[in-house]
Amino acid sequence: MIDRFRRWAPIAVAIWVLTAFIAWHYESACGVFFSGVCVSQYWAGLRWILLLKWIAPYQTLLGGLAAVAAGTFVLLAAKLSSEQAQTAENARRKQSAIVACSIVADEFRDAQIQVSLQLSKTADTLCTVCYLHSHASFNRPYAWFDCLGTKA
């Protein structure tokens, strides 16, 4: 927004100065622009502008405009601050969610490893029991293959 203001501000000031000069010259009724008769009036008008004597009749209006501009500045600053705080909070929450998901993934991986180890131990124990059982029964010497899912 400030960049747009910077771009148009010189143009607006130039148009205002030109319009003010033409209006002032129209009211003075001294003749043609920059004629010898009007030079003293131009210098008086220039001093009036440069010494800021023109502010006195408009000081209430200018004070009000300054107050509105200051209020606008405060509102924009508060909005920007609020947006930055919200962006920082969103980034913090996203990072927290990433960490939480990482922790949960680690827990699932650990649980999967534990289950896999338990299943491996159970399968080993089952095969050992089947093997011992098959040796104990003399009429089925290869019965332990049935435990593994194969048939002899």
Side-chain angles (χ1 to χ4, degrees):
M1 181 174 156
I2 292 175
D3 291 334
R4 282 189 277 164
F5 178 73
R6 284 183 187 165
R7 190 176 347 157
W8 291 101
I11 295 170
V13 168
I15 290 172
W16 179 75
V17 167
L18 181 62
T19 306
F21 179 75
I22 291 171
W24 174 65
H25 190 272
Y26 179 77
E27 289 178 0
S28 71
C30 74
V32 181
F33 285 130
F34 297 113
S35 65
V37 177
C38 294
V39 172
S40 64
Q41 283 188 356
Y42 291 140
W43 281 114
L46 187 62
R47 281 193 311 270
W48 186 73
I49 291 172
L50 291 177
L51 296 176
L52 302 176
K53 292 181 179 180
W54 57 274
I55 290 180
Y58 303 108
Q59 65 186 4
T60 305
L61 175 65
L62 293 174
L65 290 175
V68 168
T72 303
F73 176 76
V74 167
L75 287 175
L76 290 176
K79 181 180 176 185
L80 180 63
S81 175
S82 174
E83 288 174 355
Q84 287 177 347
Q86 187 175 11
T87 302
E89 179 64 19
N90 288 342
R92 188 194 63 76
R93 285 183 180 173
K94 184 177 180 181
Q95 186 64 31
S96 177
I98 290 170
V99 169
C101 287
S102 173
I103 291 170
V104 169
D106 286 344
E107 292 296 324
F108 275 123
R109 187 173 51 249
D110 290 345
Q112 181 185 11
I113 291 170
Q114 291 298 324
V115 167
S116 175
L117 288 174
Q118 283 296 90
L119 287 176
S120 176
K121 287 179 184 177
T122 303
D124 289 344
T125 304
L126 184 60
C127 286
T128 303
V129 168
C130 285
Y131 178 75
L132 291 175
H133 177 66
S134 68
H135 277 63
S137 61
F138 294 109
N139 56 354
R140 293 186 59 212
Y142 295 105
W144 65 277
F145 282 115
D146 293 340
C147 290
L148 298 176
T150 59
K151 298 207 176 194

